[in-house]
Amino acid sequence: MKLNTNENPYPPSPKALAAYEAFDVSSLRLYPPLPMRALREAVAQAEGVAPENVFCGNGSDEILALCFPAFFDEGGEGAAFADITYSFYPVFCAFFGVPCTQVPLEEDFTLDLNKLSAAKAQGLLVANPNAPTGIGIPLTEIEAFVRKNSGRIVIVDEAYMPFFGQSAVPLTKKYENLLVVKTFSKGYSLAGMRCGYAVGNAALIGGLERCRDSFNSYPVDSVCQAVCAAAIGDGAYYEEKNALVVSERERLTAELAERGFTVLPSKANFVFARHGAVGGREVYAQLRARGVLVRHFEKPRISEFCRITVGSREQNDALLSALDEFLPR
Ligand code: PMP
């Protein structure tokens, strides 16, 4: 049972599946449509922005990667982000020669945005909700942060926003230094399709396009464009499914607490939990021995925790039963 990479337990929307079935395979002879008009229009409509303000990529990982050559100078002032956040940020910094400043999270694993604002850096990255903690930052605080940093780019990674519902996308119309990055992997149950998008003002989108075109002009294939456009047009289906994930998250949090876990208050589709008596590595290993995969990070401050994806009700029950087999009563 795979509860280690935060996939959605529910299938993609029937409309997305129908688009896949209806796809004209003979058109695969041709390169994918550029500039991805239909997909960008579908995203723009769902997000309430214009297609010129949308960039699509091969997963949000690719977009986040492109942000470094697009918006940061090699050997410049660099990027700043939390010490405990998405582990790809420092990897991208190292790969693209961008120095990085890691701002420690508070004792309770919240991020003090004032401390991040104080960092000397060319641009700032925030995952909201954060990973692997799951902690969300209210939109009002994000807006104050973006306003305060108007002289430099602020990138908000909203991979888990479908389980929080306080997206900063509307702010992109007001603040030209804000880029919001989202994905089809979590909230749209399409991790295997590999598609993500960014929303921001046309100059930022143009920067991403120039970097993309220096590397791979067609990162989003034709099938993917058709399926994702159909998926994002079926908001009602996903709202219902993601609400189930959120209610299961709350149930799982309570059930874990009853079993002696401290669970950080998650706004994502996973929980980050530490047991009072059994170490993080041991919880991970015991679950693994029972066929349940969760994520454990051998890192300072968080090595006693496991990150557990919220599954379907049945999966969560199976996880809890597996825990009951080895946790002290
Ligand atoms: N941002 C965060 C915070 C993530 O956890 C992930 C998924 N591991 C991603 C971005 C990338 O997701 P994808 O490439 O599937 O869009």
Side-chain angles (χ1 to χ4, degrees):
M1 203 168 72
K2 211 173 160 301
L3 299 177
N4 62 341
T5 51
N6 305 336
E7 287 124 333
N8 200 305
Y10 301 106
S13 125
K15 290 184 183 162
L17 297 174
Y20 183 84
E21 298 282 339
F23 186 81
D24 171 17
V25 287
S26 70
S27 74
L28 289 176
R29 186 176 64 78
L30 304 170
Y31 280 105
L34 254 190
M36 309 192 212
R37 188 47 55 189
L39 175 57
R40 290 170 76 191
E41 275 171 4
V43 171
Q45 191 173 354
E47 292 286 1
V49 296
E52 306 79 78
N53 300 110
V54 176
F55 176 88
C56 298
N58 187 210
S60 59
D61 276 342
E62 183 190 56
I63 301 173
L64 292 165
L66 288 172
C67 282
F68 288 86
F71 306 125
F72 294 89
D73 295 318
E74 216 176 318
E77 280 200 327
F81 40 82
D83 63 338
I84 299 165
T85 187
Y86 189 32
S87 48
F88 239 140
Y89 306 156
V91 174
F92 292 143
C93 281
F95 187 80
F96 290 106
V98 171
C100 75
T101 303
Q102 290 174 274
V103 174
L105 293 183
E106 304 302 296
E107 271 302 301
D108 62 359
F109 295 99
T110 55
L111 172 61
D112 182 340
L113 288 175
N114 289 324
K115 291 186 182 163
L116 189 56
S117 293
K120 195 162 175 271
Q122 198 172 359
L124 309 169
L125 269 101
V126 179
N128 191 32
N130 195 17
T133 63
I135 293 174
I137 304 172
L139 184 56
T140 46
E141 288 180 33
I142 292 286
E143 176 161 14
F145 173 70
V146 173
R147 195 184 313 118
K148 191 169 180 175
N149 289 286
S150 59
R152 54 186 171 176
I153 188 166
V154 172
I155 300 166
V156 183
D157 176 353
E158 294 192 348
Y160 299 104
M161 192 48 79
F163 315 100
F164 184 23
Q166 298 208 23
S167 177
V169 162
L171 301 180
T172 58
K173 295 182 188 170
K174 219 163 136 188
Y175 301 98
E176 55 183 32
N177 60 321
L178 172 64
L179 188 80
V180 179
V181 181
K182 294 186 144 186
T183 180
F184 284 93
S185 300
K186 320 288 181 185
Y188 291 94
S189 299
L190 287 168
M193 211 71 243
R194 307 302 303 129
C195 194
Y197 59 92
V199 182
N201 84 72
L204 296 180
I205 299 302
L208 287 171
E209 286 171 345
R210 284 194 295 282
C211 283
R212 174 198 66 199
D213 292 343
S214 309
F215 177 68
N216 176 5
S217 312
Y218 301 100
V220 185
D221 71 62
S222 317
V223 182
C224 179
Q225 289 187 34
V227 171
C228 290
I232 206 165
D234 197 2
Y237 170 87
Y238 287 109
E239 261 171 44
E240 186 199 317
K241 295 298 184 235
N242 292 336
L244 290 176
V245 173
V246 168
S247 80
E248 273 300 296
R249 176 183 75 204
E250 301 311 315
R251 182 176 80 92
L252 188 58
T253 300
E255 292 282 354
L256 290 171
E258 228 167 72
R259 285 162 175 82
F261 281 93
T262 300
V263 188
L264 299 190
S266 173
K267 299 292 181 194
N269 67 339
F270 56 83
V271 293
F272 203 48
R274 173 183 55 199
H275 195 266
V278 184
R281 161 152 284 284
E282 180 70 7
V283 170
Y284 162 82
Q286 292 282 355
L287 285 173
R288 194 186 159 92
R290 290 167 175 78
V292 182
L293 295 179
V294 299
R295 187 82 195 267
H296 174 253
F297 299 85
E298 204 61 76
K299 272 176 135 174
R301 295 186 72 190
I302 56 170
S303 60
E304 294 308 327
F305 285 81
C306 284
R307 192 194 68 190
I308 308 171
T309 303
V310 177
S312 63
R313 190 170 184 94
E314 297 69 34
Q315 288 178 313
N316 300 331
D317 283 341
L319 163 83
L320 294 167
S321 304
L323 287 169
D324 288 337
E325 283 178 27
F326 68 88
L327 287 180
R329 280 178 190 274

